[in-house]
Amino acid sequence: MKRLKAYLAAAGLGVLGLLATASAGAADLLDDVKQRGSLRIALEGTYPPFNFRDEQGKLTGFDVEIAEALAGKLGVKPEFTTTEWSGILAGLQAGKYDVIVNQVAATEARRKTFDFSEPYVVSSPQLIVRANETRPLRSAADLKGKKIGVGQGSNYAELARGIEGAEVKVYPSAPEYLQDLASGRIDVALNDSLLIPYLAQKTRLPVKAGAPLGTVESNAIPFRKGNPAFKQAIDKALADLKADGSFAKISAKWFGRDVSKPPVAP
C-alpha cells in the first residue's frame, strides 16, 4: 500500500510538472502575430474622426493610422475587421482578432477580462447638443427628464444610466444618435470630447459642444490576458511612435494637438 501511495504521489507530481512545462511553453500572442505576419485589428469603422470610411470607401481616421503605425513597428501588416461596438469586446474575447484600436476606456471592470497597453489617448466625456440649444444643460441635475443618446455597450452608456431621472437611448454607433439629436428625437448625446471639434469642422449637422460630464479618462488597446511578451511589444511600439514624433504628427492631423497628453485649460 505504501508503494502504491508513493507511486500515485510521484505520478501526480509528474502530471503537475508536465502541466507547468506546457503552460510555460504556451505560445504568446506575439508569436502568433509574428508567425502570421499580420496584426488583426478590430474597430467600428463608423466613428469619425477615429475610424470611418472616406468618400472612396477606404478605411481611415486617427485610430486607423495609429494601428497601421503600430503594426509597422511590430514588423507585420495591419489586418482590419469592422464591427459594431455592441459586440466588439465579445469578439476579442472569442479570439476573432488580436486587438481593438477604437478608443476603449481601460476601466477596472474591463481589466478583469482583458489586458491593456499603456494609455495612448487622454480625453473626457462631453455632452453634445443642438446648435440652437438654449436650455442650461450643464450638469447631471439638468438632464433629469431628458433623453440622452449613447453608443450601445459604451462607458458613456454606463455614465448616462447613472443620471437620475434621465431617459437613456442606445444606438449601434455615433451617426445614428447624432442624426436623432439633430432632428430633435433626443435632447443630448454623450461621447468623447475629442469628437466635437471634428463634428464642427467636417459635418453639416447642427450640433455643438456641450458641457463636460464625468472625469478625465485614459483609452488604451485591449487584448486577451496571458500575453506578457505581446504587451511588452505593443507598449514599446507605442513608446517608439511617441519618441520618433509619428504619434504627435498623426494626432495633430486629426485633432490639432497631441491627444496622449491632457488638454491645457484655456
Side-chain angles (χ1 to χ4, degrees):
M1 181 63 71
K2 289 182 178 179
R3 288 182 179 179
L4 177 60
K5 288 181 178 178
Y7 173 79
L8 291 174
L13 289 172
V15 171
L16 289 174
L18 288 173
L19 289 174
T21 301
S23 177
D28 190 277
L29 177 57
L30 182 62
D31 299 324
D32 294 340
V33 169
K34 292 287 190 180
Q35 185 175 10
R36 190 191 314 126
S38 65
L39 180 66
R40 300 178 303 170
I41 305 152
L43 38 71
E44 290 175 273
T46 56
Y47 190 26
F50 301 107
N51 53 82
F52 63 103
R53 294 192 182 277
D54 62 18
E55 294 178 355
Q56 287 73 43
K58 181 183 177 182
L59 203 59
T60 188
F62 170 76
D63 282 334
V64 174
E65 292 192 21
I66 291 297
E68 290 172 338
L70 285 173
K73 290 293 185 183
L74 295 177
V76 298
K77 295 180 179 180
E79 180 183 327
F80 290 103
T81 294
T82 57
T83 184
E84 289 186 355
W85 173 261
S86 58
I88 200 168
L89 290 169
L92 179 61
Q93 194 169 10
K96 293 182 179 180
Y97 24 82
D98 304 317
V99 295
I100 301 172
V101 185
N102 198 96
Q103 302 305 300
V104 182
T107 63
E108 289 302 316
R110 289 172 181 162
R111 286 185 183 276
K112 293 178 181 178
T113 305
F114 306 103
D115 282 337
F116 281 82
S117 70
E118 290 297 310
Y120 73 110
V121 169
V122 179
S123 62
S124 61
Q126 188 168 14
L127 294 173
I128 308 171
V129 299
R130 285 185 291 279
N132 61 353
E133 183 62 77
T134 58
R135 292 173 295 178
L137 304 176
R138 299 187 181 88
S139 66
D142 296 329
L143 298 176
K144 186 174 182 179
K146 305 297 188 297
K147 295 179 181 178
I148 306 175
V150 291
Q152 185 176 354
S154 68
N155 51 307
Y156 306 111
E158 295 176 17
L159 177 60
R161 290 191 181 102
I163 299 173
E164 184 178 356
E167 180 183 343
V168 180
K169 297 189 68 175
V170 296
Y171 296 79
S173 59
E176 286 87 352
Y177 62 70
L178 291 176
Q179 188 61 52
D180 271 9
L181 174 63
S183 61
R185 295 187 184 94
I186 57 177
D187 296 293
V188 297
L190 184 60
N191 208 306
D192 194 306
S193 58
L194 293 173
L195 181 66
I196 315 302
Y198 178 86
L199 290 175
Q201 295 176 17
K202 302 293 184 179
T203 76
R204 297 181 180 178
L205 290 173
V207 298
K208 64 180 180 180
L213 198 70
T215 58
V216 173
E217 59 191 20
S218 297
N219 297 329
I221 299 170
F223 45 91
R224 294 185 300 282
K225 281 186 173 294
N227 295 284
F230 180 80
K231 174 172 172 53
Q232 184 177 12
I234 206 78
D235 283 345
K236 183 179 185 303
L238 277 171
D240 289 347
L241 288 177
K242 293 175 182 178
D244 67 17
S246 300
F247 186 96
K249 183 177 179 180
I250 295 171
S251 182
K253 173 182 175 179
W254 293 100
F255 304 106
R257 66 176 184 86
D258 187 344
V259 296
S260 68
K261 302 173 182 177
V264 178

